[in-house]
Amino acid sequence: MERLIVLTGYSRCGKDTTAKALKNRYKKNGKKVDIFNFSRVLKEILSKILDISIDKLDKLKNNRVTIETKYFSFDIRTLLKRTADVFRGLRGDDFFARQIIDSITESEADVIIITDLRFHVEYETLKSLGKEFVTVRVIRNDPECKARKGDEEVDALAYDIRLIKEDNGKCIDKLYSQIEEKYKLMVI
């Protein structure tokens, strides 16, 4: 792995979109890119339990769909959060971060992008890899992109680059240049 890029920011601020655009940019330069997120394991478990694909789970979460059952109703975002809380309680606050470390270690990609850094324990677990990484805070000036319950630690996380998300490719080109510049400075 030559590059580890970690995106942080509030819910729905464009982290996944930014990751996909960066992936395309690096692929143009002949780099193999993997995109991971801390919630991958959680989504895999819930998709099996609910018998739906991870893509469908994400759509339900993003569209704030409420599921009604005989015993209770819930929205997917709340279900994800509560299930994550259970796993953290059972397996430790760093459970999801340890899963990412395994994925990074097994990856043969030149560039790895993590899309959803939200907690200090995740940041510290990534540091335990002993590899340099660049952290990008993604900001979008839009009512949809705001702090939600669970985003309390985002503002306290250290970041190297601040990206104000725009609807054009210029911000991705600028971000790519900033990331590459940071890596040049790390090598010196």
Side-chain angles (χ1 to χ4, degrees):
M1 169 187 58
E2 298 171 14
R3 304 276 189 273
L4 176 58
I5 303 162
V6 184
L7 305 179
T8 185
Y10 296 146
S11 300
R12 301 187 58 83
C13 69
K15 297 181 298 288
D16 289 330
T17 304
T18 300
K20 289 173 188 168
L22 276 175
K23 179 177 182 172
N24 290 337
R25 184 69 164 81
Y26 276 102
K27 281 177 76 173
K28 279 185 190 175
N29 290 340
K31 303 293 184 188
K32 183 177 179 203
V33 181
D34 280 338
I35 296 177
F36 298 125
N37 57 56
F38 290 104
S39 61
R40 177 187 52 83
V41 172
L42 177 64
K43 289 178 180 180
E44 288 172 356
I45 292 166
L46 284 178
S47 72
K48 287 179 185 172
I49 291 170
L50 298 172
D51 194 28
I52 58 176
S53 70
I54 291 175
D55 286 340
K56 176 78 171 174
L57 186 70
D58 279 335
K59 286 178 185 162
L60 292 172
K61 177 191 75 160
N62 292 334
N63 293 328
R64 297 183 185 94
V65 171
T66 299
I67 297 177
E68 302 287 336
T69 72
K70 179 178 176 182
Y71 304 103
F72 55 87
S73 65
F74 59 90
D75 67 89
I76 296 297
R77 187 177 295 278
T78 301
L79 179 64
L80 284 164
K81 177 161 182 3
R82 289 186 179 161
T83 306
D85 290 344
V86 168
F87 274 92
R88 285 187 188 103
L90 293 172
R91 305 292 300 274
D93 285 343
D94 66 344
F95 173 71
F96 297 107
R98 285 181 284 139
Q99 307 310 306
I100 284 285
I101 296 297
D102 291 345
S103 297
I104 290 169
T105 304
E106 294 168 8
S107 175
E108 295 181 8
D110 303 307
V111 178
I112 295 174
I113 302 170
I114 299 175
T115 64
D116 61 345
L117 177 70
R118 292 178 49 228
F119 301 107
H120 186 71
V121 69
E122 295 167 344
Y123 182 84
E124 290 301 320
T125 303
L126 287 174
K127 280 177 55 177
S128 75
L129 266 172
K131 298 182 187 284
E132 298 283 351
F133 59 91
V134 172
T135 308
V136 178
R137 172 71 188 265
V138 181
I139 298 169
R140 183 167 59 111
N141 295 322
D142 183 303
E144 285 292 313
C145 179
K146 61 185 176 190
R148 290 182 169 78
K149 190 172 182 175
D151 283 342
E152 294 86 5
E153 291 186 46
V154 169
D155 287 329
L157 292 170
Y159 58 88
D160 300 298
I161 300 169
R162 183 172 183 238
L163 171 69
I164 304 216
K165 194 86 173 85
E166 300 168 5
D167 288 331
N168 57 43
K170 290 179 185 175
C171 66
I172 295 304
D173 290 337
K174 181 179 177 185
L175 176 59
Y176 175 84
S177 297
Q178 290 174 311
I179 291 168
E180 290 306 303
E181 188 60 35
K182 287 281 181 192
Y183 269 101
K184 285 178 190 170
L185 293 173
M186 289 177 188
V187 173
I188 294 174

